[in-house]
Amino acid sequence: MVKRIPKTEGQAAFDACISSLNPSSAPIRDHTSGTQDSLADATNNPIALIGQSAPAPNPSRETLATAVRWSLQELAERAPGRAVEVRVPPFGAVQILQGTTHRRGTPPAVVEVTPETWIRLAAGELNWDDALADGSAKASGQRANLSALLPLEF
């Protein structure tokens, strides 16, 4: 049985990863009012940063793993099926999209990315076509195009 990651835990890990991967656009959540501003906007107003902690230089392996697994979990819920396998080694893989179902071996469509690339794609920090063009994402098979599913809106 796969352990489901609670939304609050997954979102916190995801935000921490985004903060470390791209500090200029990291979300700053005002936990008292529930509002969110970008760090770039907040740095123009130093008062907005009072009470906020600075972005972490790098997420821990555990934080990155949680963020990847939670965002893959979200993707699988939004696009159920077994036609495409999305792999983010070493942290996780999910099958998505309705269509041809495979039972054994390599599925007919596979996407593979690094954890950092996946987080950037899921957050909208990296465009799907750009990731394919620069080689940071590898996709094979007719349905292995995730551009309509990314970024994930949280």
Side-chain angles (χ1 to χ4, degrees), residues 105-124:
T106 303
V110 176
V111 171
E112 188 164 324
V113 297
T114 65
E116 293 80 6
T117 298
W118 173 251
I119 295 296
R120 292 181 66 221
L121 284 165

Side-chain angles (χ1 to χ4, degrees), residues 76-150:
E77 287 176 3
R78 296 170 191 204
R82 294 180 53 193
V84 178
E85 186 165 287
V86 179
R87 299 174 180 168
V88 185
F91 299 127
V94 293
Q95 293 178 356
I96 61 169
L97 297 176
Q98 297 294 326
T100 306
T101 301
H102 79 286
R103 300 198 188 284
R104 295 178 43 194
T106 303
V110 176
V111 171
E112 188 164 324
V113 297
T114 65
E116 293 80 6
T117 298
W118 173 251
I119 295 296
R120 292 181 66 221
L121 284 165
E125 296 289 326
L126 178 63
N127 177 286
W128 175 252
D129 292 329
D130 293 341
L132 289 175
D134 71 17
S136 60
K138 294 175 180 42
S140 64
Q142 192 173 24
R143 301 200 53 211
N145 182 342
L146 301 184
S147 60
L149 301 172
L150 297 172

Side-chain angles (χ1 to χ4, degrees), residues 42-90:
T43 54
N44 292 329
N45 179 6
I47 301 300
L49 293 175
I50 294 175
Q52 302 292 328
S53 44
N58 288 311
S60 69
R61 180 176 169 83
E62 181 181 346
T63 299
L64 184 57
T66 299
V68 167
R69 290 176 183 140
W70 176 72
S71 56
L72 286 173
Q73 172 184 298
E74 289 289 314
L75 176 67
E77 287 176 3
R78 296 170 191 204
R82 294 180 53 193
V84 178
E85 186 165 287
V86 179
R87 299 174 180 168
V88 185

Side-chain angles (χ1 to χ4, degrees), residues 2-60:
V2 176
K3 176 189 166 205
R4 295 204 38 83
I5 298 169
K7 181 173 177 63
T8 54
E9 181 182 339
Q11 184 73 61
F14 192 83
D15 288 348
C17 289
I18 291 301
S19 174
S20 68
L21 293 173
N22 189 359
S24 66
S25 65
I28 295 178
R29 298 190 187 278
D30 178 350
H31 297 287
T32 58
S33 68
T35 62
Q36 173 177 315
D37 295 311
S38 75
L39 183 56
D41 293 338
T43 54
N44 292 329
N45 179 6
I47 301 300
L49 293 175
I50 294 175
Q52 302 292 328
S53 44
N58 288 311
S60 69

